[in-house]
């Protein structure tokens, strides 16, 4: 069990685990501190400067990089903090494409929450505006789109790609008001090392990184990915009886919320019009639809004509361990041969 630290936030006595930072401690105790660049799974970067707090005996500092200490007294609001946050926010929003109604993050967006809490000086906002034209959208990746006009430069995608995925496909490029996230050499995503895992998309706090053709599901079903035998846990989002999204299950012991490109974006085959939904049997040189009983009878009849080394099985990495166990059992015990291999070994 983790050692508990006692501290006071806004006059309230609270406890936190040793090793937590002040931002985590506040959020765990339902005390909201505005923040954009912090993510609990990543190293804090201290980039957005929104999580300013006052701590007795210390200068005004950022909560996400300050570890909790026994007896600490923290204030999350004051006129000075409020003014500092407003300026930090206005610099982020001045060139932001705030067409919220056309943004998939609308109502779930961390920037909206920050703006709601901090407020903005609209006159100053207009003066801070740097660009009249919108920057080009990077839609080179078939699975997701990057809209730099909605990016708040929090760096969460960059740290996710490096610390979680280990791909290091993206980083900051350019400086000052020209700064943006891109592939190495300011190249589009498709020309980078990007593995299309989508881990950056799920952590982007705003609508800058969004899944192509995203539809918000009306409900979700917990299941296991069927693409390989790893058994990653996921939630499939459903709308109008169609699967429209996939989200990693943080409580899955096999995957802890992570998914690869297939698990995250490969679900569309389920509703694809060309998907086979019944067995096909070749008759007179043409594949024709058949019932499962007909297909299984035909396979059993064909199999019964072979025994021993006339027969071989190739098992599949798409099957579960249990399926593959049964496949080898069938091959050895029923068909009488050790001629069995697995596609993952080829
Ligand atoms: S990212 Fe947030 S603030 Fe920006 S357009 Fe989307 S919903 Fe609105
Ligand atoms: S999709 Fe994955 S590999 Fe590509 S940039 Fe995002 S985190 Fe990196
Ligand atoms: S794309 Fe999203 S996660 Fe990446 S820096 Fe911009 S706002 Fe942050
Ligand atoms: S959340 Fe602390 S600086 Fe961004």
């Amino acid at each position: 069990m983790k050692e508990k630290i006692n501290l006071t936030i806004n006059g309230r006595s609270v406890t936190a685990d040793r090793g937590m930072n002040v931002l985590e401690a506040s959020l765990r105790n339902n005390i909201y501190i505005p923040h954009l660049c912090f993510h609990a799974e990543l190293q804090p970067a201290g980039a957005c400067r929104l999580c300013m707090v006052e701590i007795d005996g210390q200068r005004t500092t950022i909560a996400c990089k300050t570890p909790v200490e026994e007896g600490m007294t923290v204030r999350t609001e004051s006129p000075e903090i409020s003014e500092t946050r407003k300026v930090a926010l206005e610099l982020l929003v001045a060139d932001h494409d705030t067409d919220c109604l056309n943004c998939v993050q609308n109502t779930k967006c961390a920037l909206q929450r920050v703006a709601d809490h901090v407020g903005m000086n609209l006159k100053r906002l207009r003066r801070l505006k740097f660009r009249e034209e919108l920057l080009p959208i990077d839609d080179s990746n078939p699975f997701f789109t990057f809209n730099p006009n909605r990016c708040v430069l929090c760096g969460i995608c960059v740290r996710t790609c490096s610390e979680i995925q280990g791909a290091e496909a993206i980083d900051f490029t350019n400086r000052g008001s020209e700064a943006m996230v891109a592939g190495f050499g300011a190249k589009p995503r498709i020309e980078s090392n990007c593995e299309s895992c989508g881990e950056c998309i799920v952590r982007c706090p705003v609508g800058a990184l969004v899944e192509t053709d995203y539809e918000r599901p009306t409900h979700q079903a917990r299941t296991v990915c069927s693409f390989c035998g790893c058994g990653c846990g996921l939630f499939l989002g459903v709308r109008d009886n169609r699967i429209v999204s996939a989200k990693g299950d943080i409580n899955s012991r096999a995957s802890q919320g992570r998914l690869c490109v297939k698990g995250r974006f490969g679900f569309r085959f389920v509703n694809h019009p060309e998907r086979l939904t019944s067995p096909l049997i070749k008759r007179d040189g043409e594949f024709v639809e058949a019932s499962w009983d007909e297909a299984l009878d035909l396979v059993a009849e064909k199999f019964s004509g072979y025994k021993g080394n006339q027969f071989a099985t190739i098992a599949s990495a798409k099957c579960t361990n249990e399926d593959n166990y049964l496949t080898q059992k069938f091959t050895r015990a029923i068909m009488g041969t050790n001629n069995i291999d697995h596609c993952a070994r080829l």
Side-chain angles (χ1 to χ4, degrees), residues 300 302-313 327-338:
K302 298 266 180 194
F303 277 15
S304 61
Y306 301 92
K307 270 281 177 192
N309 285 340
Q310 290 175 304
F311 189 85
T313 307
T327 305
Q328 67 82 31
K329 200 76 183 163
F330 172 78
T331 307
R332 292 192 168 108
I334 309 290
M335 301 307 290
T337 177
N338 286 323

Side-chain angles (χ1 to χ4, degrees), residues 36-37 96 145-148 150-160 170 172 180-181 189 200-201 203-209:
L36 282 176
C37 70
H96 190 89
T145 301
F146 170 59
N147 183 345
R150 289 187 178 143
C151 174
V152 292
L153 297 173
C154 66
I156 285 178
C157 55
V158 175
R159 281 175 282 144
T160 299
I170 49 174
F172 288 104
M180 65 184 288
V181 175
R189 294 294 196 281
C200 54
I201 305 174
R203 289 175 183 78
C204 179
V206 294
L209 276 171

Side-chain angles (χ1 to χ4, degrees), residues 33-315:
I33 299 178
H35 60 281
L36 282 176
C37 70
F38 176 75
H39 192 285
E41 293 173 306
L42 304 169
Q43 291 297 319
C48 71
R49 318 306 286 181
L50 288 163
C51 67
M52 288 283 172
V53 289
E54 288 174 357
I55 298 176
D56 279 1
Q58 296 184 27
R59 286 186 305 179
T60 303
T61 187
I62 48 173
C64 67
K65 283 204 141 197
T66 308
V68 288
E69 286 173 20
E70 187 64 36
M72 201 176 225
T73 300
V74 181
R75 278 175 303 284
T76 68
E77 305 293 337
S78 75
E80 292 74 25
I81 289 177
S82 175
E83 195 49 34
T84 314
R85 282 189 190 142
K86 267 201 180 84
V87 174
L89 175 67
E90 285 157 9
L91 284 166
L92 285 176
V93 175
D95 282 307
H96 190 89
D97 174 14
T98 39
D99 184 9
C100 295
L101 282 181
N102 280 316
C103 180
V104 300
Q105 279 293 86
N106 192 22
T107 72
K108 296 184 297 174
C109 175
L111 184 58
Q112 288 177 328
R113 175 137 200 223
V114 170
D116 191 36
H117 184 94
V118 174
M120 281 179 283
N121 177 330
L122 292 180
K123 264 196 201 149
R124 196 163 51 193
L125 197 60
R126 278 193 283 275
R127 281 206 309 275
L128 288 170
K129 192 162 178 61
F130 180 77
R131 274 189 299 273
E132 290 308 323
E133 303 290 312
L134 292 178
L135 295 167
I137 289 172
D138 179 356
D139 57 3
S140 60
N141 186 295
F143 305 112
F144 62 87
T145 301
F146 170 59
N147 183 345
N149 307 293
R150 289 187 178 143
C151 174
V152 292
L153 297 173
C154 66
I156 285 178
C157 55
V158 175
R159 281 175 282 144
T160 299
C161 193
S162 164
E163 293 174 29
I164 289 182
Q165 188 62 12
E168 307 210 323
I170 49 174
D171 207 340
F172 288 104
T173 186
N174 303 336
R175 291 174 153 260
S177 52
E178 310 262 294
M180 65 184 288
V181 175
F184 182 67
K187 296 228 171 91
R189 294 294 196 281
I190 201 69
E191 292 176 42
S192 73
N193 291 346
C194 176
E195 294 160 3
S196 301
C197 65
E199 292 291 337
C200 54
I201 305 174
V202 290
R203 289 175 183 78
C204 179
V206 294
L209 276 171
V210 296
E211 196 174 324
T212 308
D213 301 328
Y214 176 80
E215 281 183 74
R216 205 177 271 201
T218 49
H219 60 282
Q220 300 192 84
R222 189 168 183 230
T223 184
V224 174
C225 178
S226 60
F227 266 104
C228 78
C230 287
C232 296
L234 47 74
F235 288 93
L236 289 175
V238 180
R239 186 176 194 100
D240 300 333
N241 216 20
R242 287 174 302 120
I243 297 172
V244 294
S245 67
K247 189 174 93 176
D249 178 2
I250 200 85
N251 293 317
S252 159
R253 289 177 68 189
S255 52
Q256 298 170 6
R258 314 272 152 76
L259 292 175
C260 74
V261 57
K262 292 181 282 183
R264 191 176 311 284
F265 300 116
F267 57 83
R268 289 201 164 82
F269 78 91
V270 177
N271 304 117
H272 199 281
E274 286 175 17
R275 182 181 170 196
L276 292 182
T277 51
S278 60
L280 300 179
I281 292 178
K282 209 171 210 177
R283 291 194 174 112
D284 302 326
E286 294 281 328
F287 280 114
V288 290
E289 284 196 3
S291 69
W292 281 103
D293 281 347
E294 282 176 290
L296 290 170
D297 284 350
L298 181 66
V299 170
E301 184 195 319
K302 298 266 180 194
F303 277 15
S304 61
Y306 301 92
K307 270 281 177 192
N309 285 340
Q310 290 175 304
F311 189 85
T313 307
I314 300 285

